Amino acid sequence: MDGRLLLLTGAALIGGSWLIGTMNAGGDPGPDPVVAAHSGLAAELAATGRDLSDPAAFLVPLGDGDAIAGPVAATEHGAPVFIENIVAGYARPGPADLPGRVREIAATGGCAPSQPAPGSRIAHVAAGLPAAEVSFHGWREEDLAQAASGRMDGATEESGGVLDFLAELAGTGGPEPEPAAPWRYRLMDIAVSEAAAPVHLVLEAGQARVLWNIHAGTGTRISGVTLLGGTLPAIANLPGDVPVEVVDATALSQCGLAPAYMPRADDPVFDQVASGRLSAGAARSQLEARAEAAAAWDAWFAGRFGAGAAELRIGQAQGGQLALVGPLPAQPLLRVPYRGLAGAQVALSAGAGTLAVPPETADDEMGRIVEELARAAKPADGVEQIAQVAE
Amino acid sequence: MMQHFLKYVARRVALVLTCLGIGLFGWPGDVGAQNFVKVGAEDGSGARRVRVGEAPLEKVAPISGAVAAEEPDGAASGGAAATDPAFAPILAAIRSLRVPARESAEADALRAEFAAPARERTPYDAAHAARQAVR
């Protein structure tokens, strides 16, 4: 074969693979993962005979609440509503929508956040694990130390390239466990349409990192925000003069508290008893413990905010995207305007590290830091010693 | 003459293998055609990468093999929902809707004693908002 032809073929191969790599890493972010997940769930829901033109068809009983399996918002109107009927121009942030500035929130001492301003209306929104990930990441030193410790425990021989590929072909290579990512956030949008009174938002997360994005309607006023539970809770697009207080999951647990609610009639625990997978005695002890925790949470919440947590709760246990606080927009023109995350100010607890890059990039960068920490630490070091190295 | 010919062949073979190797496996630290093949397969299925480490940290239900095994005949695959920690429990919950509830006096008794009463769903109005206002 002609040498020049061979050279040309080789150059074409190299150039082609470079081009493909560039295309993959850069421009096309691919399909929206939430839309992709929703389309799979919609097919499942349709198979159960639900009418998907009704927003309530996307509510699925899960644990002590409902999960959201489609493009609907939680409301206090007796039923969910399609998001497009609440927010004008709703567009879930993509990987390129990077928040711009971080405002630090001073830590709230103790277990008693300040009382809301008199005359303001309490709006309590709860989110378990929301649907969408965002290009915002935050962490504490102990999170990195924990991840480094986990990496040291599960350290495996680095492999890759040709060897990895050949092992895969031979069927001897398994999927490599990926490192923990204790910096990723999920997004929960809050649309405020309540103009009759100032609103005090009580935003409650379970254990996840939740970034609450506020969309304030015309004539509305937010008098204050209390962020309850969650890990390093953060809030975006909130006016700078609105006071924010944080009592995160760690602080709550130090006070002997955790968000808890009574099970609903369709809770899986009852089905487990009916099917014999759980004895009635074991179920009773579980339920008594839940009842006790729910009563304690309700009493503490009522003491701070004037009514029980369960009574005021808006939101879903899983897969939430948006919650509406206030009346439904009477016509499309009165919908709440959408505020994106690009360049938005994010309020977050003081002392946290932050990074505003797409999740994949953050994993690479943070993974390198965790790797360095794991290398710098001694094999016998515990999380506390590694956290000191991280400092 | 023979020696020159063999050297020529060896050089060309080496060149071809090098180019093929780089094209397939990528330059060290870069993307190769094999990665493209994998990415293409993931995109086609609508799946996305799963951070295995996220589950225990976020305290979400793990995606169990049982979910896939229990997939009823004729049901959709669940697509990307099956691999996302936020959606996998929802997918399992939807599938459980297809299983008829079992009758059990013990379960009914526990339900009557512990289940929260169905929340009254009243339409939003100004009076409702006023009830929630701080006195």
Side-chain angles (χ1 to χ4, degrees):
Chain A
M1 192 186 282
D2 186 0
R4 276 176 297 182
L5 188 65
L6 277 173
L7 205 62
L8 208 64
T9 311
L13 271 171
I14 294 172
S17 62
W18 174 80
L19 188 69
I20 288 161
T22 312
M23 283 164 63
N24 182 42
D28 181 17
D32 181 339
V34 176
V35 171
H38 279 169
S39 74
L41 295 177
E44 296 277 344
L45 284 169
T48 64
R50 292 198 180 190
D51 170 15
L52 300 187
S53 62
D54 176 5
F58 293 97
L59 286 193
V60 181
L62 188 68
D64 57 21
D66 283 320
I68 285 272
V72 296
T75 70
E76 48 194 323
H77 296 262
V81 176
F82 284 119
I83 289 174
E84 63 188 18
N85 295 332
I86 294 174
V87 175
Y90 181 79
R92 197 174 293 104
D97 294 319
L98 311 177
R101 294 155 289 158
V102 171
R103 164 190 160 197
E104 292 198 334
I105 310 169
T108 307
C111 311
S114 312
Q115 293 281 354
S120 57
R121 191 199 148 195
I122 303 296
H124 170 215
V125 182
L129 190 64
E133 288 192 324
V134 282
S135 294
F136 180 77
H137 316 274
W139 63 90
R140 303 162 301 191
E141 276 147 10
E142 55 261 41
D143 298 324
L144 297 185
Q146 193 80 47
S149 173
R151 181 162 294 203
M152 286 161 71
D153 292 343
T156 49
E157 191 85 2
E158 281 285 327
S159 64
V162 179
L163 289 177
D164 206 22
F165 183 54
L166 292 178
E168 213 167 278
L169 280 182
T172 56
E176 233 178 83
E178 296 208 31
W183 43 79
R184 284 193 175 201
Y185 272 77
R186 286 186 179 253
L187 178 72
M188 183 72 188
D189 290 297
I190 306 290
V192 181
S193 64
E194 181 61 80
V199 174
H200 184 97
L201 295 171
V202 182
L203 307 177
E204 174 198 312
Q207 293 288 329
R209 282 171 164 75
V210 176
L211 172 60
W212 304 88
N213 189 21
I214 307 298
H215 312 275
T218 314
T220 61
R221 193 163 79 77
I222 297 169
S223 60
V225 177
T226 308
L227 299 174
L228 287 182
T231 305
L232 283 179
I235 185 164
N237 284 320
L238 188 71
D241 59 347
V242 177
V244 183
E245 288 191 315
V246 179
V247 188
D248 66 9
T250 311
L252 282 175
S253 94
Q254 283 165 355
C255 305
L257 289 164
Y261 298 91
M262 290 300 289
R264 300 192 330 175
D266 46 19
D267 193 281
V269 72
F270 301 118
D271 189 48
Q272 285 169 2
V273 173
S275 63
R277 280 176 286 154
L278 186 68
S279 73
R284 173 170 288 280
S285 348
Q286 259 188 40
L287 289 164
E288 281 171 352
R290 277 173 77 171
E292 199 178 319
W297 177 243
D298 229 36
W300 179 85
F301 195 98
R304 304 314 313 163
F305 303 111
E311 186 193 333
L312 295 183
R313 182 166 67 150
I314 312 169
Q316 275 71 36
Q318 189 92 10
Q321 298 155 88
L322 185 135
L324 172 69
V325 172
L328 273 177
Q331 49 175 293
L333 273 175
L334 298 177
R335 287 179 298 173
V336 176
Y338 177 79
R339 292 193 69 184
L341 278 183
Q345 185 188 65
V346 175
L348 182 76
S349 297
T354 59
L355 194 60
V357 293
E360 301 291 330
T361 314
D363 284 355
D364 290 344
E365 293 195 15
M366 299 306 298
R368 268 197 293 276
I369 294 172
V370 169
E371 190 80 46
E372 277 172 26
L373 267 181
R375 263 202 296 268
K378 299 185 189 84
D381 279 354
V383 173
E384 282 173 21
Q385 284 87 8
I386 303 174
Q388 282 168 4
V389 176
E391 280 179 41
Chain B
M1 185 69 188
M2 187 64 179
Q3 197 182 5
H4 282 291
F5 176 71
L6 286 176
K7 264 172 89 177
Y8 170 81
V9 170
R11 274 209 300 267
R12 291 292 176 262
V13 168
L15 176 68
V16 169
L17 287 180
T18 307
C19 293
L20 277 176
I22 292 170
L24 271 177
F25 306 119
W27 199 254
D30 206 342
V31 175
Q34 56 140 331
N35 302 86
F36 173 64
V37 171
K38 285 181 193 169
V39 169
E42 283 176 17
D43 281 353
S45 69
R48 62 194 288 246
R49 299 177 73 187
V50 181
R51 300 283 156 205
V52 175
E54 194 176 39
L57 283 161
E58 304 283 19
K59 299 230 186 319
V60 295
I63 305 162
S64 70
V67 170
E70 285 172 11
E71 193 174 306
D73 289 343
S77 67
T83 57
D84 188 307
F87 292 112
I90 304 176
L91 181 60
I94 294 173
R95 286 178 178 164
S96 73
L97 293 174
R98 295 162 158 248
V99 182
R102 293 179 180 85
E103 299 288 326
S104 156
E106 277 181 323
D108 287 345
L110 286 170
R111 193 177 279 120
E113 190 177 347
F114 289 102
R119 196 169 160 185
E120 194 184 340
R121 301 283 191 181
T122 50
Y124 174 90
D125 59 26
H128 171 77
R131 278 198 299 277
Q132 292 180 14
V134 177
R135 302 287 185 274

